[in-house]
Amino acid sequence: MGNPLHERRTAAEWSATSQVIEIADKVGDFEQLSGVIEADLSVLDADNVPAEWRAAAVTGRLEFGFADAQRTLPMVDCRLAATVDLVCQRCLEAFGLPLEAEVKLLLLDFDQEIAGYEEYEVWEMEEPMLRPLDIVEELLIMALPLSAMHVESAACRALTAGKQKGAEEKTTPFAALREQMAQD
């Protein structure tokens, strides 16, 4: 049997079977996510690009079901985690950024509206067939920051270099005034 992430079914079919998909894949298995990361890493010299960035683990779980007792509102509970290599926008070096996405999605038709389910986010489906891989990729891409930076400021060379430089060249805005007052 193939990878259920690649199977196409209607949202109602996924939910009717209460399908649970355990995810233990690699970043390279997700074409769109890999494309975004590759574009980010392309600013680095080839020898500075992490060699195994495509082999980084993507883990998680998708649990399909219904949000209502009448079984008319298909939903999926998503929990995803990955650590992806990106370029820090401060020091311009590659680093591993942990990503997490935890969300409950209502799988609704494109023009369908619903009220009273505030604990869910709406996933509007433009076509009747759903491929779980598309949900995983979009959630991970949406979890990427607009400007990637080291999580720990101590790991960022730009910030640690700035601190060292600041200690050596400490200037105050009133230094010139102090000198002038000392001369008077």
Side-chain angles (χ1 to χ4, degrees):
M1 187 171 174
N3 186 340
L5 285 176
H6 296 277
E7 293 179 21
R8 291 187 184 273
R9 298 184 199 166
T10 66
E13 290 172 336
W14 284 109
S15 296
T17 61
S18 298
Q19 180 76 44
V20 175
I21 301 174
E22 295 287 340
I23 302 165
D25 291 315
K26 297 178 179 4
V27 166
D29 297 332
F30 300 92
E31 186 178 328
Q32 290 180 355
L33 178 62
S34 293
V36 170
I37 295 169
E38 186 171 30
D40 189 68
L41 293 174
S42 70
V43 301
L44 298 174
D45 293 331
D47 52 334
N48 291 335
V49 174
E52 297 294 320
W53 69 267
R54 285 183 178 88
V58 175
T59 60
R61 181 181 179 100
L62 301 179
E63 295 181 50
F64 289 88
F66 289 98
D68 62 333
Q70 296 79 20
R71 299 175 57 90
T72 59
L73 296 173
M75 60 79 65
V76 60
D77 186 1
C78 310
R79 288 184 209 97
L80 305 169
T83 298
V84 297
D85 288 308
L86 296 172
V87 177
C88 175
Q89 297 303 301
R90 289 185 187 128
C91 67
L92 301 177
E93 291 185 6
F95 74 105
L97 178 70
L99 298 179
E100 288 186 9
E102 253 188 75
V103 65
K104 290 182 179 185
L105 299 173
L106 276 178
L107 306 170
L108 303 179
D109 293 332
F110 188 68
D111 58 352
Q112 187 177 0
E113 292 184 24
I114 195 75
Y117 291 88
E118 287 76 22
E119 67 271 18
Y120 294 92
E121 291 189 35
V122 174
W123 179 280
E124 291 182 337
M125 298 181 17
E126 293 181 16
E127 57 185 62
M129 303 305 277
L130 172 70
R131 189 173 72 150
L133 178 103
D134 297 332
I135 293 173
V136 172
E137 279 201 300
E138 188 159 329
L139 289 176
L140 289 174
I141 290 170
M142 289 183 350
L144 291 169
L146 291 175
S147 224
M149 292 181 255
H150 282 96
V151 177
E152 299 290 327
S153 59
C156 185
R157 269 195 17 200
L159 293 177
T160 55
K163 285 181 183 177
Q164 292 170 355
K165 184 178 181 182
E168 295 169 5
E169 301 174 13
K170 186 173 183 177
T171 60
T172 62
F174 300 108
L177 179 61
R178 184 180 305 133
E179 287 178 23
Q180 192 176 24
M181 288 176 64
Q183 291 175 357
D184 290 340

